[in-house]
Amino acid sequence: MSGDAWISETAPYLAPREPGQSDAWTDEAARRGRRGGQRLLQTGEADAPDAVRAALGLSAAELVVVRRRLILLDDRPVELTDSYYPVSIAGGTPLAEPRKVPGGAVTLLKELGYVGAEVVEDVSAALATAEEREHLGLPEGSAVLRLLRLTRTADGTPMEAALMTMPAGRHLTYRLGKQGA
């Protein structure tokens, strides 16, 4: 979305969806007259990057369930999103399977007894890796924003760490409390 004045909010992405309701990204894009989508690139158990392992409080030996997706806007790639879950939460669930999860991960996690109550987001910038450039269609030397979002339950249990990588032209807005009627 480099060059676009696109402002995205976190809250809708953390709320479970009602039956038959589309995902938050599809809704957000549609409100702007655009078409949002995603392509699943990887699912299953894997080693986690160090930052994710630390965020989830996992030992070096513990694996995670990962869902890697390429986020699309009007069929063009705009973001890589890797969602990581402790195996103790997501192992053996549809989150570990290479298919769409009806209602999305947040809805399934609620059904499993995990509801996000606290979110911590850490934003950094870096040069894109070769893999990120390939997926996002960026030229060499491009910068990206990386947002690491940790979601915990009310009792402090880390339930998801999502690492989002996007072209540096993205704008991020944080809003707490009740949104417009």
Side-chain angles (χ1 to χ4, degrees):
M1 284 183 221
S2 184
D4 285 301
W6 188 286
I7 299 174
S8 184
E9 296 184 35
T10 300
Y13 292 85
L14 304 174
R17 312 303 282 176
E18 295 297 324
Q21 188 178 18
S22 60
D23 63 82
W25 171 241
T26 300
D27 285 350
E28 180 179 350
R31 281 192 308 275
R32 297 161 192 250
R34 311 282 295 270
R35 189 175 60 257
Q38 55 185 284
R39 184 169 49 227
L40 192 57
L41 301 175
Q42 175 190 353
T43 59
E45 292 186 16
D47 287 320
D50 291 341
V52 168
R53 184 177 307 289
L56 291 174
L58 301 176
S59 72
E62 291 179 274
L63 296 176
V64 294
V65 169
V66 63
R67 291 183 68 80
R68 175 168 247 212
R69 299 171 318 279
L70 183 62
I71 307 302
L72 306 168
L73 180 63
D74 299 330
D75 297 321
R76 292 183 45 234
V78 294
E79 179 177 298
L80 276 171
T81 299
D82 299 347
S83 297
Y84 299 91
Y85 310 91
V87 170
S88 61
I89 292 174
T93 73
L95 291 171
E97 299 171 7
R99 62 183 173 98
K100 188 171 174 68
V101 176
V106 175
T107 302
L108 177 61
L109 289 165
K110 180 181 177 187
E111 292 170 9
L112 296 172
Y114 297 92
V115 176
E118 179 189 33
V119 174
V120 177
E121 294 184 336
D122 182 70
V123 180
S124 60
L127 290 179
T129 66
E131 182 182 16
E132 291 165 345
R133 288 193 315 269
E134 179 181 337
H135 283 299
L136 296 171
L138 300 173
E140 191 165 344
S142 293
V144 291
L145 291 177
R146 293 197 180 110
L147 186 146
L148 177 60
R149 175 186 296 152
L150 174 63
T151 305
R152 292 186 187 102
T153 63
D155 69 359
T157 301
M159 57 184 259
E160 178 184 9
L163 181 57
M164 292 155 264
T165 304
M166 60 205 87
R170 226 20 215 275
H171 297 267
L172 305 172
T173 296
Y174 299 91
R175 182 179 301 175
L176 302 172
K178 185 175 176 152
Q179 296 183 11

